[in-house]
Amino acid sequence: MTEATGGIEMEEGQSGIVKKFMFVNRKAPYGTVYALEGLEVVLISAAFDQDVSMAFLDDGVYQLAKGQHTKAIDVKNFSPTYRALEGYDIEKLYVEKESLEARGLSQENLLVPVEVLNSKEIAALMADQDVVISF
Amino acid sequence: MKFGILVSEGPYTHQAADTAYQFVKAALEKGHQIHRVFFYHDGVNNSTKLTEPPQDDRHIVNRWSKLAQEHNIDLVVCVAAALRRGIRDDILAPGFRISGLGQLVESGIQADRLVTFGD
């Protein structure tokens, strides 16, 4: 874990500060690397005992879609990782209602339990964060 | 104020690499501190000394190296993103170092603001 956390030992990394981190996922899971590399940051952040949440907007909602098959494009299907987030104590997943509806998706089409919020509610949550990182 | 910086796009392809540099320079001139500049995604391509732009263009990599030397700025390149793109220790320009993603999260914790340059 030391290499992954950038050589930062737990005690040093924690330093008693707990900030609200929100990772905003706005892009489709395949086509660009942002979703995959973004998820790597989220997993590492779990080692720092911060208050972590994830928001899924725009094409980012496709990251959580059930039934992803990537064999034909020869790209790794990393969608099972979203199911592992719970094990990292990352349980606050917010999905924007408007983005879901615009793509004909609903909560039943998603891999993991999420909280569906409208754009105003998401905006209010974002305003409440200390750190927002968008992928 | 203490800023953490995240650069998510490659040099020359995307304005983000230039804007991040201009922001850091302006912040330092105003007396602010830069906790760290973290290079992720194609942003890792800002760190290779193999970069050779045409002579009448700005040298984005050397510009970072010079700034790091003058102001003792920590330029960190994500190891996983770097290896994926063929960037290793032996081709890093002066002032850059390779480390893990924890350095980005730590910058978010330690800095007053984390500012992202990318799409």
Side-chain angles (χ1 to χ4, degrees), chain B residues 15 55 76:
Chain B
Q15 177 70 30
Q55 289 206 344
V76 179

Side-chain angles (χ1 to χ4, degrees), chain B residues 72-91:
Chain B
N72 195 27
I73 299 169
D74 192 17
L75 304 178
V76 179
V77 182
C78 170
V79 59
L83 291 178
R84 217 174 241 146
R85 293 164 177 84
I87 310 276
R88 296 184 316 210
D89 266 323
D90 54 327
I91 60 162

